[in-house]
Amino acid sequence: MNVAGKQPPPAPLERPASLLVPTWTKTGIALLYDEGSENAYDIQLKLTKEVLTIQKQDVICVSGSDHNTNHRTVTLHRQPVGGLGLSIKGGAEHKVPVVISKIFKDQAADQTGMLFIGDALIQVNGINVESATHEEVVHLLRNAGDEVTITVQYLREAPSFLKLPLGSPGPSSDHSSGASSPLFDSGLHLNGNSTNTAPSSPSSPIANEPKYEKRWLDTLSVPLSIARISRYKAGTDKLRSNAFEVLALDGVSTGILQFYTAQECADWLRALSTNISDLTLQNMKMANKCCSLSHQIIHMGWVNERLEGTDSSQVYKYKFLALKGSSFYIFSTPPVSTLDWVRAEKIYHLCEVLFKVHKLWLADDCWLQANLYLGIHQDYELEDQRPYCFSVMVGHGQSHYFNVELGSELAAWEKSFQRAIFLEVQRTGSKTYMCSWQGVTLCFTVDFALGFTCFDSKTKNVLWRFKFSQLKGSSDDGKTRVKLLFQNLDTKQIEMKKALLGKLGPDPAALTQKNLNFRI
């Protein structure tokens, strides 16, 4: 279709309508996974427009004096019914501390107001139990008498399987694990009998004793401006199961964030991606205030570039790409100042690059299916297992192969390349290439208004001319030969025109892309 008389493409900084979603503020519970210990513990995530904050639970003193903020010593009075009113999990045999896993409402432990789920036992009646097994601590507590003094410390990074969700009273479902497992919940409230069966006074906090509360406290803030998200296990093409990592521009990492369901993971990915995209858009707008219309930034963001390893394995490395003015930039680190743009690893002219989407698997991001349809070709023969991939051909057989983390990012890059190339072709207006056919040196002109013209370089005689609306197909051999198919307006027949492009000509594939962009 001829572009003459058509409306121009969307403004360079306009987000495609199909991708418009609100900026997110969000709070939720997740797990922080430690690859070294293979443990995961509860955290709370708090997302704002500009920052992702990780919060960990801790017990703090909210009133009264507390001379030792790390340890709390509490005296429990065993009750005839309910015993100490708590349960424990863990033990040294499992390389985890003994932790309070339940506190039963209105019973001894609860009445103190000083004990919390997640408290690790340090001492029982003055005996250190930090290196004790589960059964040793159970035996000690059950035989400690009616008055039991325990010293505890809240374990901020307790493995998640040692703790129950907040507000989950009642019998544990972990009994099937057996007493040898850290999942086993020893219910001290079930067997509270001691040698003295006389009723004991209920435990209660003393008026002048400090009071404590369990609260979520900020422990790490990750700026989202030009941040990146990684869903893959380091050094592999294997996606993490319901997990990802967020890395800030300065290298600060959230660590591996795990979620209980795939839907929760997808929701957080969408929210974070939206906020990162919005911040990137703001950065682009600020930078474009200092640039002329012909040098505006169209799009930029993080990708993974596939590199060939020394053992022929596929290695991915983070790269930062940008479409600015007439050029396509590849950076190892994002440009944060005007001077950084000249320090790009690679710079290519947009009129002579070919963008190609390779594959898209929507199954991993089901939320995209309703608003993202690309109708793209699938390269099933590719061995790469990463789902959202595209390549940019930049020369005679040379190309860069990239992967992004989300389908929405792939869609954004495709739309942005289309806009950037269209705008550059529109600015260029007309371009002439040297070529040859049957031994004759020819000139091949692509003109934004007139279409395609081929003429003799010496005599200037026009050999053939076609409008853009007559172009019905194009192909190339990836090296020097290009083939164009035009429809004759009079006969309606398809005519084939071939050309051999020399060293002064563009990459044939890029020329094909240019022709197609004229037709958009």
Side-chain angles (χ1 to χ4, degrees):
M1 182 182 297
N2 199 321
V3 297
K6 294 293 183 179
Q7 294 295 321
L13 296 181
E14 182 176 311
R15 180 181 290 166
S18 62
L19 300 180
L20 285 174
V21 288
T23 301
W24 288 82
T25 56
K26 187 176 176 68
T27 301
I29 303 297
L31 296 172
L32 189 59
Y33 178 71
D34 186 328
E35 286 187 305
S37 64
E38 297 185 348
N39 286 329
Y41 53 89
D42 294 333
I43 58 170
Q44 181 166 272
L45 298 177
K46 186 172 66 175
L47 176 66
T48 64
K49 294 180 180 180
E50 297 182 349
V51 176
L52 175 64
T53 301
I54 293 180
Q55 298 178 318
K56 297 180 182 178
Q57 273 192 326
D58 206 347
V59 173
I60 63 171
C61 180
V62 295
S63 67
S65 59
D66 183 9
H67 301 292
N68 189 342
T69 56
N70 293 324
H71 293 176
R72 282 164 281 125
T73 299
V74 184
T75 299
L76 298 174
H77 298 280
R78 194 186 308 272
Q79 297 178 353
V81 178
L84 299 178
L86 56 81
S87 296
I88 60 172
K89 287 184 180 180
E93 70 272 32
H94 304 291
K95 298 182 181 179
V96 292
V98 175
V99 175
I100 295 176
S101 57
K102 286 184 182 179
I103 293 177
F104 291 84
K105 188 176 181 180
D106 296 329
Q107 296 187 19
D110 182 50
Q111 291 172 356
T112 67
M114 296 180 64
L115 295 175
F116 300 87
I117 294 174
D119 279 339
L121 272 64
I122 306 299
Q123 291 183 349
V124 175
N125 285 348
I127 300 174
N128 188 287
V129 294
E130 291 179 280
S131 300
T133 65
H134 184 89
E135 288 301 323
E136 287 173 343
V137 176
V138 170
H139 178 78
L140 188 59
L141 287 170
R142 283 178 173 170
N143 294 279
D146 288 339
E147 188 173 280
V148 183
T149 300
I150 61 174
T151 299
V152 298
Q153 178 182 11
Y154 187 73
L155 198 62
R156 297 178 67 185
E157 299 180 1
S160 59
F161 60 75
L162 292 181
K163 295 183 287 182
L164 296 176
L166 295 180
S168 301
S172 170
S173 61
D174 297 327
H175 289 196
S176 61
S177 301
S180 62
S181 168
L183 297 178
F184 178 71
D185 198 337
S186 292
L188 301 180
H189 61 288
L190 298 178
N191 186 4
N193 295 331
S194 65
T195 56
N196 183 358
T197 58
S200 58
S201 59
S203 304
S204 60
I206 302 174
N208 61 354
E209 283 189 348
K211 294 182 180 180
Y212 298 88
E213 287 184 5
K214 185 187 289 187
R215 293 183 180 178
W216 291 105
L217 303 179
D218 294 354
T219 58
L220 178 66
S221 293
V222 179
L224 296 179
S225 180
I226 318 185
R228 64 182 188 263
I229 300 173
S230 175
R231 303 170 65 194
Y232 291 89
K233 292 186 177 181
T236 73
D237 282 331
K238 187 174 181 180
L239 276 170
R240 300 185 185 278
S241 177
N242 299 338
F244 58 83
E245 181 180 13
V246 182
L247 300 100
L249 179 60
D250 60 3
V252 173
S253 168
T254 59
I256 300 167
L257 306 177
Q258 283 189 334
F259 299 86
Y260 291 100
T261 67
Q263 186 60 53
E264 285 182 313
C265 185
D267 288 345
W268 275 98
L269 279 169
R270 176 172 53 180
L272 283 162
S273 177
T274 298
N275 288 13
I276 291 173
S277 296
D278 286 346
L279 291 172
T280 301
L281 193 64
Q282 291 179 22
N283 290 333
M284 289 161 51
K285 287 180 177 179
M286 292 181 62
N288 284 341
K289 290 180 179 179
C290 305
C291 300
S292 64
L293 289 177
S294 61
H295 290 85
Q296 297 282 293
I297 304 172
I298 306 297
H299 190 63
M300 62 183 186
W302 287 101
V303 299
N304 296 288
E305 182 175 13
R306 188 179 71 185
L307 307 173
E308 294 299 328
T310 55
D311 56 352
S312 299
S313 61
Q314 294 179 358
V315 179
Y316 279 86
K317 186 175 181 180
Y318 282 113
K319 294 295 175 69
F320 192 85
L321 307 185
L323 300 171
K324 183 177 186 292
S326 62
S327 300
F328 166 51
Y329 295 80
I330 301 178
F331 296 90
S332 57
T333 57
V336 294
S337 69
T338 304
L339 294 177
D340 289 339
W341 288 91
V342 300
R343 299 170 185 164
E345 288 184 353
K346 301 287 184 180
I347 303 176
Y348 301 104
H349 195 280
L350 280 172
C351 277
E352 298 180 359
V353 301
L354 171 64
F355 175 90
K356 181 182 180 183
V357 171
H358 285 280
K359 54 184 175 178
L360 173 68
W361 298 339
L362 283 175
D364 291 329
D365 288 323
C366 58
W367 56 271
L368 285 174
Q369 296 185 39
N371 65 357
L372 176 59
Y373 176 75
L374 298 179
I376 55 178
H377 174 67
Q378 300 280 334
D379 283 337
Y380 293 108
E381 72 277 6
L382 294 176
E383 295 181 358
D384 178 30
Q385 296 303 306
R386 298 196 175 202
Y388 308 118
C389 302
F390 67 91
S391 65
V392 179
M393 187 175 291
V394 295
H396 295 276
Q398 299 177 342
S399 64
H400 294 271
Y401 189 87
F402 302 106
N403 155 260
V404 290
E405 302 285 343
L406 299 172
S408 56
E409 295 177 311
L410 182 61
W413 277 113
E414 184 185 40
K415 298 295 184 183
S416 299
F417 262 96
Q418 289 176 352
R419 286 202 305 274
I421 295 174
F422 182 95
L423 291 171
E424 178 55 23
V425 168
Q426 191 178 47
R427 283 191 294 264
T428 302
S430 178
K431 195 171 181 65
T432 299
Y433 302 99
M434 299 298 294
C435 65
S436 64
W437 180 244
Q438 296 180 344
V440 180
T441 301
L442 305 174
C443 292
F444 178 64
T445 298
V446 183
D447 188 280
F448 189 80
L450 301 178
F452 305 91
T453 303
C454 186
F455 58 92
D456 189 295
S457 61
K458 294 181 179 179
T459 65
K460 308 302 180 182
N461 291 331
V462 174
L463 304 179
W464 48 264
R465 175 179 286 137
F466 293 95
K467 299 177 181 180
F468 290 114
S469 59
Q470 295 176 263
L471 179 65
K472 300 303 177 182
S474 59
S475 63
D476 60 85
D477 65 355
K479 296 178 181 178
T480 58
R481 297 181 183 274
V482 64
K483 179 173 64 176
L484 303 174
L485 301 177
F486 298 101
Q487 185 179 45
N488 188 298
L489 295 178
D490 297 324
T491 66
K492 305 300 182 183
Q493 297 297 313
I494 300 296
E495 298 183 21
M496 180 188 300
K497 301 299 181 182
K498 298 181 180 180
L500 183 66
L501 300 171
K503 293 183 179 180
L504 297 179
D507 174 33
L511 182 60
T512 299
Q513 174 73 33
K514 183 175 180 180
N515 297 340
L516 295 176
N517 275 283
F518 275 117
R519 299 175 64 208
I520 294 175

